[in-house]
């Protein structure tokens, strides 16, 4: 499960949640024309139609730039997309993976508002996560992580005090560690070099506390266990999500297929903004001459040079397209590793889960979501009372290449342990989606590898959740990177007035 994958050269705004400055005002009037007298680009090519590229294209177009968006796939959305699948229970619309966002993901919420999709991905009224421990004795299997209306840090105090999956001493220790974590500065370059697990051990966290709380949240948001996660990124996640504002961690997820949000509605917004979108168009090179840029594609060069190019593609693809000298040490992009996410899709012949989702302990299962309505199964002919569950497995290196039959044998019994109603149910369909390079790996030291949006080449900018957003690889990070690239292109060191979201939470310049 991913939440929601560069930063301004200026110090980020002081908001501990890393929210875009003036976010409330942006909803009312987020766009403004930028005059040519201010030196803004008049034409731009954005390469890559994921969230980062779509965001950059919209932001540039809204500022009066004539934009062409090029995407090699036949759709927009990058790694947050949907596809159709025939199933014995009826045709399904399947998300490649379960994606969520939090209330603190204000840039992604800006994106949803911009494409008219806010109502399709609502937030919880208040954070409430059911946590089921398959190994616990009856009566203590279900715990809940939920907040009250009290201010930080009291908003989670009642939940933590009654959380059955930790002992009284472990709960007290978690509280102390959380307060210590809140005192850290995620922008401190020293934190990037340290692993989260070592810090947790030094602050008295037991293996059980790591499993039942820190990794429960961290694996889903970082796509890594504490052992493999940068302390800087972990501090950013927990400080922003749990310790900034009472409602910061309230969870939102799409109640419609992701393709409707990130492809259909995004494409309509691009069209309305005047962006020329060319799908099935693979870029093979970008070249500069006379201060202008040309994108070369598998169909030949674009018909005219442009002022600005935004590379919004994965880091290895960006490395292949970068002209000589565009980055100091461009090979650092190749040292940004990747991490996989596995999703298991199970259709039962009856309802086995009566909550929208839950998290699991004492089992290899991590998070389980009910996708019955979003997939269209509820209304499919012949579906009957069938229910479609998506099992989201982050940091899935051990499972990502297992055959489907082996995954079925491993996980169906685990779902029966967690969901007693599944024990007598018939499995009507079981299939797997794999994203082997779903996110960048948030390992210690990754911060110094992540580049800023501007490059050494005037008019060439980078976007993508792997750039220096200060966030892990999330939908929020991807949107922030697109906004940062657009802001950098529009300002280019000149005075400007562009009320795009200011993207805080970046990595310090010296650590990039």
């Amino acid at each position: 499960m991913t939440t929601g994958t560069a930063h301004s050269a200026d110090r980020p705004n002081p908001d501990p949640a890393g929210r875009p400055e003036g976010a409330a005002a942006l909803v009312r009037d987020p766009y403004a024309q930028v005059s040519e007298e201010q030196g803004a680009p008049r034409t731009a090519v954005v390469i890559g139609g994921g969230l980062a590229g779509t965001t950059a294209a919209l932001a540039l177009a809204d500022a009066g730039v004539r934009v062409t968006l090029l995407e090699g796939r036949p759709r927009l959305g990058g790694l947050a997309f949907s596809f159709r699948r025939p199933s014995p229970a009826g045709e399904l619309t399947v998300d490649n993976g379960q994606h969520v966002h939090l209330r603190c993901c204000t840039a992604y919420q800006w994106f949803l508002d911009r494409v008219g999709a806010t109502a399709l991905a609502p937030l919880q009224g208040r954070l409430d996560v059911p946590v089921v421990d398959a190994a616990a004795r009856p009566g203590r299997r279900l715990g809940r992580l939920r907040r009250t209306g009290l201010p930080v840090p009291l908003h989670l105090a009642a939940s933590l005090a009654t959380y059955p999956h930790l002992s009284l001493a472990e709960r007290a220790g978690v509280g102390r560690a959380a307060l210590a974590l809140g005192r850290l500065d995620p922008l401190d370059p020293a934190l990037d070099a340290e692993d989260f697990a070592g810090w947790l051990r030094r602050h008295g966290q037991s293996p059980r506390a790591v499993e039942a709380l820190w990794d429960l949240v961290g694996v889903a948001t970082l796509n890594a266990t504490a052992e493999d996660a940068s302390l800087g990124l972990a501090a950013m996640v927990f400080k922003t999500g749990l310790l900034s504002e009472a409602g910061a961690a309230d969870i939102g997820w799409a109640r419609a297929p992701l393709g409707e949000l990130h492809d259909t509605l995004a494409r309509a917004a691009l069209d309305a903004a005047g962006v020329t979108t060319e799908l099935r168009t693979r870029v093979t090179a970008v070249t500069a001459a006379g201060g202008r840029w040309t994108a070369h594609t598998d169909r030949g060069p674009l018909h005219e040079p442009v002022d600005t190019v935004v590379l919004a593609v994965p880091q290895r693809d960006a490395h292949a397209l970068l002209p000589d000298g565009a980055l100091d040490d461009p090979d650092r992009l190749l040292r940004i590793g990747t991490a996989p996410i596995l999703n298991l899709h199970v259709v039962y012949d009856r309802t086995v889960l009566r909550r929208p989702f839950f998290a699991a302990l004492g089992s290899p299962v991590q998070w389980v979501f009910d996708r019955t309505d979003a997939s269209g199964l509820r209304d499919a002919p012949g579906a009957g009372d069938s229910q479609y569950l998506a099992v989201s497995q982050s940091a899935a290196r051990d499972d990502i290449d297992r055959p489907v039959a082996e995954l079925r044998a491993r996980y169906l019994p685990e779902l029966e342990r967690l969901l007693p109603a599944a024990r007598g149910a018939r499995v009507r369909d079981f299939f797997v989606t794999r994203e082997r390079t779903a996110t960048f790996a948030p390992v210690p030291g990754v911060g110094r590898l992540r580049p800023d949006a501007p490059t050494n080449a005037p008019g060439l900018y980078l976007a993508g959740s792997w750039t220096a957003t200060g966030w892990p690889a999330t939908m929020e990070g991807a949107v922030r990177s697109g906004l940062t690239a657009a802001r950098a292109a529009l300002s280019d060191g000149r005075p400007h007035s562009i009320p795009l979201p200011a993207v805080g939470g970046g990595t310090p310049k010296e650590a990039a």
Side-chain angles (χ1 to χ4, degrees):
M1 180 174 66
T2 57
T3 55
T5 168
H7 86 126
S8 167
D10 298 328
R11 181 76 171 179
N13 71 64
D15 187 333
R19 296 173 304 174
E21 293 175 5
L26 287 167
V27 174
R28 295 191 297 272
D29 183 19
Y31 319 114
Q33 296 292 319
V34 178
S35 69
E36 292 183 13
E37 293 77 43
Q38 292 171 298
R42 293 165 297 183
T43 56
V45 166
V46 176
I47 300 170
L51 288 175
T54 300
T55 297
L58 285 169
L60 290 168
D62 289 337
V65 180
R66 183 157 51 88
V67 182
T68 299
L69 174 62
L70 305 177
E71 168 56 53
R73 300 180 178 95
R75 54 161 180 81
L76 301 177
L79 292 181
F81 67 94
S82 306
F83 60 92
R84 300 287 290 174
R85 172 187 167 85
S87 169
E91 190 171 50
L92 305 175
T93 302
V94 177
D95 290 348
N96 70 311
Q98 179 63 50
H99 291 67
V100 305
H101 62 285
L102 307 180
R103 194 177 297 276
C104 61
C105 296
T106 48
Y108 181 65
Q109 291 179 67
W110 173 90
F111 175 87
L112 292 175
D113 180 72
R114 179 62 184 82
V115 303
T118 300
L120 298 179
L123 291 154
Q124 293 177 314
R126 287 185 179 177
L127 174 70
D128 187 355
V129 179
V131 183
V132 180
D133 186 355
R137 68 179 186 269
R140 295 186 64 81
R141 299 185 71 197
L142 177 64
R144 304 186 87 93
L145 294 173
R146 49 188 170 186
R147 73 172 179 92
T148 66
L150 294 174
V152 174
L154 300 177
H155 64 313
L156 295 173
S159 176
L160 186 59
T162 58
Y163 191 51
H165 306 317
L166 295 176
S167 69
L168 184 60
E170 286 168 331
R171 292 176 220 162
V174 163
R176 290 191 295 270
L179 292 176
L181 195 64
R183 292 191 290 270
L184 297 179
D185 179 3
L187 301 177
D188 182 351
L191 271 59
D192 175 56
E194 186 176 345
D195 69 87
F196 187 35
W199 186 92
L200 289 173
R201 284 192 293 270
R202 292 198 304 277
H203 287 78
Q205 300 305 287
S206 67
R208 176 60 176 179
V210 173
E211 175 197 10
L213 183 66
W214 300 108
D215 269 353
L216 184 79
V217 175
V219 169
T221 52
L222 295 163
N223 197 21
T225 62
E227 294 283 352
D228 296 323
S230 153
L231 174 58
L233 283 172
M236 183 273 160
V237 164
F238 284 95
K239 189 169 183 175
T240 301
L242 297 179
L243 300 172
S244 60
E245 294 184 354
D250 298 344
I251 297 174
W253 65 96
R255 309 306 204 268
L258 286 173
E260 185 171 343
L261 284 65
H262 300 161
D263 183 16
T264 304
L265 290 176
R267 179 66 183 273
L270 290 164
D271 290 346
V275 175
T276 299
T277 303
E278 298 186 14
L279 303 178
R280 297 185 174 89
T281 304
R282 186 173 65 86
V283 175
T284 57
V286 291
T287 58
R292 307 197 78 201
W293 291 90
T294 298
H296 303 265
T297 77
D298 48 6
R299 302 177 182 179
L302 287 192
H303 53 85
E304 64 178 21
V306 296
D307 303 310
T308 293
V309 170
V310 177
L311 292 181
V313 294
Q315 59 267 33
R316 288 186 173 272
D317 296 335
H319 178 271
L321 292 172
L322 281 172
D324 290 343
L327 279 187
D328 297 330
D329 186 20
D331 287 349
R332 68 183 181 176
L333 302 190
L334 302 179
R335 299 195 293 274
I336 300 175
T338 59
I341 295 177
L342 175 73
N343 278 264
L344 314 170
H345 307 262
V346 189
V347 179
Y348 289 100
D349 68 348
R350 67 193 70 175
T351 299
V352 300
L353 173 64
R354 299 193 179 278
R355 299 183 177 91
F357 69 91
F358 71 93
L361 300 174
S363 167
V365 170
Q366 294 176 11
W367 291 72
V368 180
F369 282 77
D370 180 4
R371 301 297 299 171
T372 307
D373 290 334
S375 66
L377 177 61
R378 184 83 64 195
D379 300 322
D385 295 327
S386 296
Q387 186 177 37
Y388 166 22
L389 303 183
V391 182
S392 183
Q393 300 293 109
S394 300
R397 294 193 186 279
D398 292 342
D399 280 345
I400 193 67
D401 291 319
R402 290 183 193 264
V404 172
E406 190 173 332
L407 291 169
R408 180 180 178 121
R410 173 175 168 81
Y411 280 96
L412 287 182
E414 290 297 327
L415 288 173
E416 291 181 4
R417 289 179 66 208
L418 292 161
L419 298 170
R423 293 167 192 168
R426 180 169 63 91
V427 175
R428 301 189 67 183
D429 200 4
F430 181 97
F431 58 98
V432 175
T433 52
R434 312 173 200 257
E435 293 294 345
R436 290 179 172 81
T437 58
T439 70
F440 72 82
V443 296
V446 72
R448 67 175 181 269
L449 304 177
R450 300 171 71 184
D452 291 315
T455 70
N456 297 334
L460 180 66
Y461 303 89
L462 301 176
S465 62
W466 52 274
T467 60
T469 68
W471 285 67
T474 59
M475 297 188 297
E476 174 73 4
V479 173
R480 282 173 177 256
S481 76
L483 291 168
T484 299
R487 178 178 292 277
L490 292 167
S491 60
D492 196 23
R494 303 175 179 89
H496 64 285
S497 177
I498 309 162
L500 298 174
V503 280
T507 305
K509 186 76 174 180
E510 62 271 20

